[in-house]
Amino acid sequence: MKATKRILSLLLVLLLVCGMLPLSAAAAPLPDYDSEWPNFRGSETNMAITSAPTATSSDAALLKWAQKYGTGWAAAPVPPILVNDYLYTASGSRVMKIDKETGELLQEGKLNGSVGFALNNLVYAEGMLFALIGNGQVQALNAETLESLWISEKLGGQTLCPITYKTLREVSL
């Protein structure tokens, strides 16, 4: 009887401990989105050149929408990227998914730091968004859920340069 109680107590403790552990299998899968403008220059080989015509007069220009997503230099939105037909941007310590047709804020996620002076846009690759969050850190988020996936170690200093993403199979050794 005592042995049975001890075994049941041990099983109960194990169940409680296991219930507190994060379940990586329960994490949302990464999406596979198309991206028209995934990073700083549009692509790895593009120098921000586009075939879209530029308006040559005020009559040819059209303001689709205008929204204010941040106030002041500390919360100015970073330049947006175009992924899966949505705009993604960040302001202060938040990342946002925006309807490109209406400017409506559709979803918001939390960053572990601030994007600072809004110099560098997010980068999209392989279902993830990457944000420079200060102290030389990069934070990766699931592009579908905007939940944090990981944060790099602190390297110190400011994050003033844009980043790019390259898979190992793209790197020629």
Side-chain angles (χ1 to χ4, degrees), residues 1-8:
M1 189 69 158
K2 269 188 173 179
T4 305
K5 284 184 180 180
R6 284 185 184 168
I7 291 172
L8 288 174

Coordinates of all heavy atoms in Angstrom, one line a residue, residues 1-8:
M1 N 0.8 -1.2 0.0 CA 0.0 0.0 0.0 C 0.9 1.3 0.0 O 0.6 2.2 -0.7 CB -0.9 -0.1 1.2 CG -2.0 1.0 1.2 SD -3.1 0.7 -0.1 CE -4.5 1.6 0.5
K2 N 1.9 1.3 0.9 CA 2.8 2.4 0.9 C 3.5 2.6 -0.4 O 3.7 3.7 -0.9 CB 3.8 2.3 2.0 CG 3.4 2.8 3.3 CD 4.6 2.8 4.3 CE 4.3 3.5 5.6 NZ 5.3 3.5 6.5
A3 N 4.0 1.5 -1.0 CA 4.7 1.5 -2.3 C 3.8 2.1 -3.4 O 4.2 2.9 -4.2 CB 5.2 0.1 -2.7
T4 N 2.5 1.7 -3.4 CA 1.6 2.2 -4.4 C 1.4 3.7 -4.2 O 1.3 4.4 -5.2 CB 0.2 1.5 -4.2 OG1 0.4 0.1 -4.3 CG2 -0.8 1.9 -5.3
K5 N 1.2 4.2 -3.0 CA 1.1 5.6 -2.8 C 2.3 6.4 -3.2 O 2.2 7.5 -3.8 CB 0.8 5.9 -1.3 CG -0.6 5.6 -0.8 CD -0.8 6.0 0.6 CE -2.2 5.6 1.0 NZ -2.4 6.0 2.4
R6 N 3.5 5.8 -3.0 CA 4.7 6.5 -3.4 C 4.8 6.5 -4.9 O 5.2 7.6 -5.5 CB 6.0 5.8 -2.8 CG 6.2 6.0 -1.4 CD 7.4 5.4 -0.9 NE 7.5 5.6 0.6 CZ 8.4 5.0 1.3 NH1 9.2 4.2 0.8 NH2 8.4 5.3 2.6
I7 N 4.5 5.5 -5.6 CA 4.5 5.4 -7.0 C 3.5 6.4 -7.6 O 3.8 7.2 -8.5 CB 4.3 4.0 -7.6 CG1 5.4 3.1 -7.2 CG2 4.0 4.0 -9.1 CD1 5.2 1.6 -7.5
L8 N 2.3 6.4 -7.1 CA 1.3 7.4 -7.5 C 1.7 8.8 -7.3 O 1.5 9.7 -8.1 CB 0.0 7.1 -6.9 CG -0.8 5.9 -7.4 CD1 -2.0 5.6 -6.5 CD2 -1.1 6.0 -8.8

